[in-house]
């Protein structure tokens, strides 16, 4: 699965480049074209984010709220038209797939995988090992559990292998481990970390275990470590870089690093994002922006809107400039469905479509950047610099 689509992408995106005149893509007569990235020849708008990104082999993804997908036709249409990759926002998390110990419920996730297939999209599996959204029978706070350390390890093994096996062959990238570090670069003392320490192991050894188990269960899926506040250079990114180097040295099957990209206009842009992504790429890893959104304090002012547009664009540019950056995923696309207001008091307006699913300036900013990514139209005459 990992190899075949990329061969298709390069062959088809070459055809797309050849077929499209040098004029701006939105100006072509044909309103739809093949996404350039699927064997299913799905027709999507020429000027959609996914069609534009396919010209440079990049996948544009979104997190999907599966309730909205089932209930809202406009939401469904935008998901299909604009995005070439989908991530379940919640329905592959341990809490959802195994609500009662030993009883799995894959129904919502299966529906999304089927939607993706029907629409020529790839799936980012999210997420196997995370301290949050654990089933209540296992842990309610992500730190404590009534199971013994050995039972924790055994349950983690079963969870990873069962889930990856269920979706074998259908997942492009798995977020195998999510958010294992604190912002200062020290390990997060999660239920997994504590159990491994109690077993006399290095607390972080659960990470290597999880990648090995996931690889056994689906050798073709790309396996990612995913975290926030690792977009730019800094102590947390340094810790993940050290981890990645160590895992590679130990022969652990890790394929990529996901930087979530949850930005907030009040903090400014992460430090040297392109260079940071490139250093992971230089280790031979793929990279991805996995959960992009840009929140701000409400009500949103004009300067904040401009800052949001700039952040969306700069993240996309950093990804476009690093060849190993294979996907840019927004964490949902409609403000009405965003996770931000419920988690960050007084903040919101973080997405590229508004409350009524109308595209915002940040949508058009991404669209324009993607148009430029395959080359600005060359000028003729004196201005072309010939004399
Ligand atoms: C969030 C979802 O968007 C919410 O609906 C849910 O209530 C909590 O989790 N980092 C991650 C995501 O890796 O899984 C989180 O998603 C957002 C932060």
């Amino acid at each position: 699965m990992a190899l075949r689509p990329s061969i298709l992408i390069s062959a088809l995106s070459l055809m797309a480049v050849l077929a499209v005149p040098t004029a701006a893509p939105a100006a072509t007569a044909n309103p739809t074209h093949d996404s350039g990235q699927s064997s299913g020849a799905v027709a999507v708008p020429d000027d959609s984010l996914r069609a534009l990104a396919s010209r440079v082999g990049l996948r544009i993804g979104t997190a999907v709220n599966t309730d909205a997908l089932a209930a809202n036709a406009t939401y469904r249409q935008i998901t299909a038209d604009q995005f070439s990759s989908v991530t379940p926002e919640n329905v592959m998390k341990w809490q959802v797939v195994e609500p009662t110990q030993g009883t799995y419920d894959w129904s919502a996730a299966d529906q999304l995988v089927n939607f993706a297939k029907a629409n020529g999209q790839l799936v980012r599996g999210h997420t196997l090992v995370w301290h949050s959204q654990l089933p209540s029978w296992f842990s309610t706070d992500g730190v404590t559990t009534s199971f013994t350390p050995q039972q924790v390890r055994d349950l983690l093994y079963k969870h990873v292998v069962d889930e990856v096996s269920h979706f074998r062959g259908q997942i492009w990238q798995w977020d195998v481990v999510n958010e294992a570090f604190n912002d200062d670069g020290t390990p997060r003392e999660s239920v997994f970390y504590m159990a491994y320490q109690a077993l006399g192991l290095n607390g972080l050894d659960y990470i290597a275990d999880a990648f090995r188990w996931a690889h056994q269960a689906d050798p073709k899926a790309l396996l990612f470590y995913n975290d926030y506040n690792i977009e730019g250079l800094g102590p947390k990114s340094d810790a993940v870089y050290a981890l990645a180097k160590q895992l590679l040295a130990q022969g652990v099957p890790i394929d990529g690093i996901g930087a979530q990209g949850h930005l907030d206009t009040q903090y400014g842009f992460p430090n040297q994002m392109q260079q940071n992504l490139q250093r992971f790429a230089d280790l031979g890893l793929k990279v991805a922006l996995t959960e992009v959104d840009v929140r701000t304090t409400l009500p949103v002012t004009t300067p904040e809107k401009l800052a949001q547009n700039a952040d969306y664009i700069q993240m996309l540019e950093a990804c476009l400039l690093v060849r190993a950056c294979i996907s840019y995923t927004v964490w949902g696309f409609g403000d009405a469905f965003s996770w931000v207001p419920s988690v960050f008091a007084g903040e919101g307006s973080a997405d590229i479509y508004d409350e009524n699913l109308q595209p915002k300036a940040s949508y058009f900013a991404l669209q324009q950047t993607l148009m430029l990514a395959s080359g600005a139209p060359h000028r003729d005459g004196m201005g072309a610099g010939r004399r």
Side-chain angles (χ1 to χ4, degrees):
M1 175 111 178
L3 282 177
R4 276 190 48 222
S6 62
I7 292 164
L8 272 172
I9 289 161
S10 42
L12 287 169
S13 57
L14 177 64
M15 279 163 55
V17 168
L18 293 176
V20 174
T22 42
T28 51
N30 184 357
T32 62
H33 86 175
D34 185 277
S35 66
Q37 285 174 326
S38 75
S39 46
V42 179
V44 299
D46 262 351
D47 61 351
S48 62
L49 303 182
R50 67 181 288 184
L52 295 168
S54 75
R55 299 166 166 206
V56 290
L58 177 70
R59 292 266 166 179
I60 299 290
T62 183
V64 174
N65 174 324
T66 48
D67 293 334
L69 193 74
N72 184 326
T74 309
Y75 185 97
R76 237 180 351 262
Q77 186 74 45
I78 295 171
T79 306
D81 279 353
Q82 298 293 332
F83 302 100
S84 46
S85 159
V86 289
T87 307
E89 183 173 1
N90 286 301
V91 298
M92 285 189 188
K93 292 172 180 172
W94 195 347
Q95 183 180 68
V96 176
V97 299
E98 196 181 0
T100 306
Q101 191 179 359
T103 306
Y104 290 116
D105 180 0
W106 310 111
S107 54
D110 283 345
Q111 278 170 27
L112 181 61
V113 169
N114 290 336
F115 179 90
K117 261 186 224 155
N119 290 288
Q121 298 164 319
L122 298 181
V123 181
R124 292 199 85 259
H126 175 84
T127 175
L128 297 169
V129 186
W130 190 28
H131 65 277
S132 188
Q133 290 184 279
L134 291 167
S136 53
W137 57 262
F138 181 75
S139 167
T140 46
D141 60 3
V143 179
T144 51
T145 182
S146 53
F147 293 104
T148 66
Q150 187 56 49
Q151 285 172 325
V152 168
R153 192 180 189 189
D154 294 344
L155 286 166
L156 186 67
Y157 171 81
K158 181 171 159 46
H159 164 63
V160 169
V161 168
D162 286 355
E163 178 148 9
V164 177
S165 300
H166 176 81
F167 294 108
R168 182 173 24 238
Q170 307 186 85
I171 302 295
W172 180 36
Q173 308 172 18
W174 263 117
D175 286 334
V176 177
V177 177
N178 199 32
E179 304 182 350
F181 291 95
N182 299 312
D183 282 347
D184 64 2
T186 56
R188 185 190 292 275
E189 296 186 339
S190 66
V191 64
F192 311 110
Y193 184 88
M194 302 309 279
Y196 272 64
Q197 273 205 329
L199 287 169
L201 300 166
N202 182 322
L204 287 174
D205 281 351
Y206 74 91
I207 299 178
D209 271 357
F211 277 87
R212 290 196 171 105
W213 298 334
H215 184 66
Q216 276 169 25
D218 187 351
K220 290 186 179 165
L222 294 175
L223 304 183
F224 274 66
Y225 175 84
N226 192 52
D227 214 328
Y228 61 91
N229 286 350
I230 61 164
E231 295 76 15
L233 295 171
K236 192 170 183 181
S237 168
D238 288 347
V240 174
Y241 183 76
L243 169 80
K245 249 179 133 163
Q246 194 192 354
L247 292 175
L248 289 167
Q250 292 168 348
V252 175
I254 178 170
D255 299 295
I257 302 295
Q260 293 182 3
H262 293 294
L263 302 194
D264 183 329
T265 55
Q266 67 182 309
Y267 302 128
F269 196 75
N271 183 27
Q272 293 182 276
M273 190 180 293
Q274 182 192 340
Q275 287 80 353
N276 183 50
L277 298 179
Q278 189 62 53
R279 70 171 168 163
F280 287 107
D282 291 343
L283 292 177
L285 294 169
K286 309 215 179 301
V287 293
L289 286 163
T290 55
E291 304 185 17
V292 171
D293 58 13
V294 185
R295 61 188 183 271
T296 192
T297 46
L298 297 173
V300 55
T301 63
T302 298
E304 284 166 341
K305 277 189 202 165
L306 294 172
Q308 289 178 305
N309 297 346
D311 282 358
Y312 267 106
I313 294 173
Q314 266 191 278
M315 280 192 268
L316 179 56
E317 287 175 346
C319 177
L320 284 165
L321 289 165
V322 174
R323 196 161 190 257
C325 187
I326 58 174
S327 60
Y328 178 98
T329 297
V330 293
W331 200 244
F333 54 84
D335 282 336
F337 306 100
S338 169
W339 73 302
V340 167
S342 60
V343 176
F344 303 93
E347 295 191 73
S349 193
D351 290 356
I352 60 175
Y353 286 70
D354 68 14
E355 300 273 340
N356 301 312
L357 291 178
Q358 294 301 309
K360 291 161 57 175
S362 45
Y363 169 88
F364 296 110
L366 290 181
Q367 186 185 44
Q368 197 172 47
T369 301
L370 289 170
M371 287 174 179
L372 280 172
S374 55
H378 196 271
R379 263 124 279 259
D380 291 330
M382 296 288 279
R386 277 268 202 69
R387 302 171 197 215

